């Protein structure tokens, strides 16, 4: 279906009008021309304890053939909580391909917030979260070298099966080590197109004894699934609280920026053609 399909555009307009009517002041238009919207979601209306802001960019192809670009904003949303929620949203999209899904997303997020409220007497301790983030920043992504344990590599569960042998190991780029406050940081980057390749890259990196014995080995990956028009993603903190989640968040931001840049290029191209 073409991006300029009037039926798709009308469906998007109808959904925006409905959401604005349902959520009232909690629905905010950030940029109408760029179709950027934000909605505040909480566990209850009177005395909310858990609150989250969902920001979305609606591509012109949505909902017919493209998902919304989204960002979840909350000071408490980190690590496993972030991964589980984003995976839930991606699952809703996959199950409802071609349908308007923002209402389903909002109510799924509200459901998660209500569950948190019911399982906790108080809301998130923002002061404690801030302190934890400050402490994390003091020693992010460190590779503090220690003597290699004999069983280190054996316990890493990155064994390549026979079916994975057909996949080609992608090139791995290694950043320059950086030392700061008695810690050493080093980044590694590889273009992967399947979870099998992720395991292959990790297994290859862990052949290096310094990497295998590092205090914290964090990683994150995002793979675009063209058939489902969504992302397969995951991350690992390896004991460094929320480090993998923050790395994944950076990758998501870069994807959004690149998509925005591509949209501008397409717009400029259309203008020159006219």
């Amino acid at each position: 279906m073409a991006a300029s399909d009037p039926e798709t555009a009308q469906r998007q307009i109808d959904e925006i009008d409905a959401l604005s009517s349902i959520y009232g002041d909690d629905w905010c238009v950030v940029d109408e021309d760029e179709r950027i919207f934000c909605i505040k979601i909480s566990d209850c209306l009177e005395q909310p304890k858990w609150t989250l802001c969902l920001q979305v960019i609606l591509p012109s192809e949505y909902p017919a053939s493209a998902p919304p670009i989204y960002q979840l904003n909350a000071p408490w949303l980190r690590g496993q909580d972030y991964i589980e929620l984003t995976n839930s949203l991606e699952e809703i999209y996959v199950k409802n391909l071609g349908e308007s899904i923002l209402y389903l997303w909002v109510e799924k997020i509200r459901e998660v917030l209500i569950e948190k409220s019911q399982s906790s007497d108080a809301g998130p301790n923002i002061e404690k979260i801030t302190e934890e983030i400050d402490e994390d920043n003091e020693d992010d992504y460190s590779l503090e070298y220690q003597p290699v344990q004999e069983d280190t590599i054996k316990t890493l569960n990155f064994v390549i099966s026979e079916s994975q042998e057909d996949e080609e190991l992608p090139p791995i780029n290694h950043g320059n080590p950086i030392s700061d406050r008695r810690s050493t940081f080093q980044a590694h980057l590889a273009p992967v197109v399947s979870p099998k390749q992720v395991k292959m890259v990790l297994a290859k990196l862990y052949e290096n004894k310094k990497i295998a014995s590092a205090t914290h080995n964090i990683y994150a990956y995002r793979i675009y699934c063209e058939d489902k028009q969504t992302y397969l993603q995951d991350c690992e903190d390896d004991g460094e609280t929320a480090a993998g989640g923050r790395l994944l968040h950076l990758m998501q931001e870069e994807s959004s920026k690149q998509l925005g840049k591509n949209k501008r290029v397409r717009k400029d191209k259309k203008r020159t053609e006219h």
Side-chain angles (χ1 to χ4, degrees), residues 42-59:
S42 57
D43 57 331
C44 72
L45 296 177
E46 281 75 24
Q47 295 180 324
K49 292 188 294 187
W50 296 86
T51 302
L52 182 150
C53 180
L54 170 66
Q55 181 173 306
V56 294
I57 303 175
L58 303 182

Side-chain angles (χ1 to χ4, degrees), residues 170-188:
I172 305 175
N173 297 314
H174 307 279
N176 295 324
I178 300 174
S179 296
D180 180 41
R181 286 169 290 184
R182 294 183 299 175
S183 294
T184 301
F185 307 79
Q186 186 174 20
H188 311 277

Side-chain angles (χ1 to χ4, degrees), residues 49-50 120-125:
K49 292 188 294 187
W50 296 86
S120 174
D121 293 334
N125 188 336

Side-chain angles (χ1 to χ4, degrees), residues 211-231:
I211 294 176
S213 61
T215 305
H216 304 294
N217 281 316
I218 70 168
Y219 69 83
Y221 68 86
R222 293 192 89 211
I223 300 170
Y224 183 66
C225 304
E226 190 170 358
D227 57 337
K228 296 180 179 178
Q229 295 185 347
T230 188
Y231 284 94

Side-chain angles (χ1 to χ4, degrees), residues 67-70 86-87 89-91 93-94 221-226 228-234 248 251-252 254-256 258-259:
I69 302 165
Y70 70 94
T86 55
N87 285 344
L89 300 186
E90 301 287 354
E91 183 179 352
Y93 172 72
V94 171
Y221 68 86
R222 293 192 89 211
I223 300 170
Y224 183 66
C225 304
E226 190 170 358
K228 296 180 179 178
Q229 295 185 347
T230 188
Y231 284 94
L232 177 64
Q233 59 187 23
D234 202 356
L248 180 59
M251 296 172 70
Q252 291 171 328
E254 286 302 313
S255 295
S256 297
Q258 187 60 46
L259 182 57

Side-chain angles (χ1 to χ4, degrees), residues 8-272:
T8 298
Q10 187 59 49
R11 289 176 63 192
Q12 193 174 119
I13 291 171
D14 291 343
E15 182 178 20
I16 292 170
D17 289 343
L19 293 170
S20 177
S21 176
I22 293 170
Y23 298 113
D25 293 339
D26 289 334
W27 175 264
C28 174
V29 179
V30 178
D31 189 324
E32 190 168 8
D33 291 336
E34 294 295 326
R35 286 172 291 218
I36 304 175
F37 307 93
C38 183
I39 180 168
K40 181 181 177 182
I41 310 166
S42 57
D43 57 331
C44 72
L45 296 177
E46 281 75 24
Q47 295 180 324
K49 292 188 294 187
W50 296 86
T51 302
L52 182 150
C53 180
L54 170 66
Q55 181 173 306
V56 294
I57 303 175
L58 303 182
S60 56
E61 299 88 353
Y62 170 82
S65 59
I69 302 165
Y70 70 94
Q71 182 171 316
L72 301 170
N73 298 316
W76 55 267
L77 187 62
R78 297 153 50 224
Q80 192 61 32
D81 284 339
Y82 181 88
I83 296 300
E84 289 179 0
L85 184 51
T86 55
N87 285 344
S88 295
L89 300 186
E90 301 287 354
E91 183 179 352
I92 289 173
Y93 172 72
V94 171
K95 288 182 177 179
N96 297 274
L97 289 175
E99 301 297 328
S100 300
I101 59 166
L102 291 184
Y103 177 80
L104 297 177
W105 275 10
V106 171
E107 292 310 309
K108 177 60 182 180
I109 293 171
R110 194 185 309 282
E111 177 185 317
V112 170
L113 298 183
I114 292 174
E115 289 176 358
K116 281 189 165 295
S117 178
Q118 292 173 344
S119 62
S120 174
D121 293 334
N125 188 336
I126 302 301
E127 182 178 347
K128 181 179 179 182
I129 290 171
T130 304
E131 290 175 357
E132 288 179 355
I133 292 174
D134 291 340
E135 290 174 1
D136 292 340
N137 288 340
E138 291 180 0
D139 191 27
D140 273 356
Y141 318 126
S142 60
L143 292 175
E144 297 173 3
Y145 299 143
Q146 297 175 346
V148 178
Q149 301 295 323
E150 280 189 1
D151 294 334
T152 300
I153 298 177
K154 294 179 182 178
T155 60
L156 287 172
N157 194 28
F158 290 130
V159 180
I160 308 302
S161 66
E162 291 182 4
S163 61
Q164 292 173 331
E165 291 177 358
D166 295 334
E167 299 248 6
E168 183 178 352
L169 177 69
I172 305 175
N173 297 314
H174 307 279
N176 295 324
I178 300 174
S179 296
D180 180 41
R181 286 169 290 184
R182 294 183 299 175
S183 294
T184 301
F185 307 79
Q186 186 174 20
H188 311 277
L189 178 68
V192 295
V193 295
S194 71
K196 293 180 181 179
Q197 285 193 330
V198 174
K199 289 187 177 183
M200 294 173 72
V201 169
L202 291 170
K204 184 64 177 180
L205 288 172
Y206 277 115
E207 290 177 5
N208 184 309
K209 292 184 178 180
K210 285 186 176 181
I211 294 176
S213 61
T215 305
H216 304 294
N217 281 316
I218 70 168
Y219 69 83
Y221 68 86
R222 293 192 89 211
I223 300 170
Y224 183 66
C225 304
E226 190 170 358
D227 57 337
K228 296 180 179 178
Q229 295 185 347
T230 188
Y231 284 94
L232 177 64
Q233 59 187 23
D234 202 356
C235 64
E236 170 60 47
D237 294 334
D238 194 26
E240 187 71 8
T241 306
R246 288 201 298 271
L247 181 59
L248 180 59
H249 183 65
L250 287 174
M251 296 172 70
Q252 291 171 328
E253 287 186 342
E254 286 302 313
S255 295
S256 297
K257 290 178 183 177
Q258 187 60 46
L259 182 57
K261 185 185 296 183
N262 291 341
K263 287 175 67 178
R264 287 193 295 271
V265 169
R266 288 197 297 269
K267 284 183 179 179
D268 291 341
K269 185 177 179 181
K270 287 180 180 178
R271 290 193 188 102
T272 56

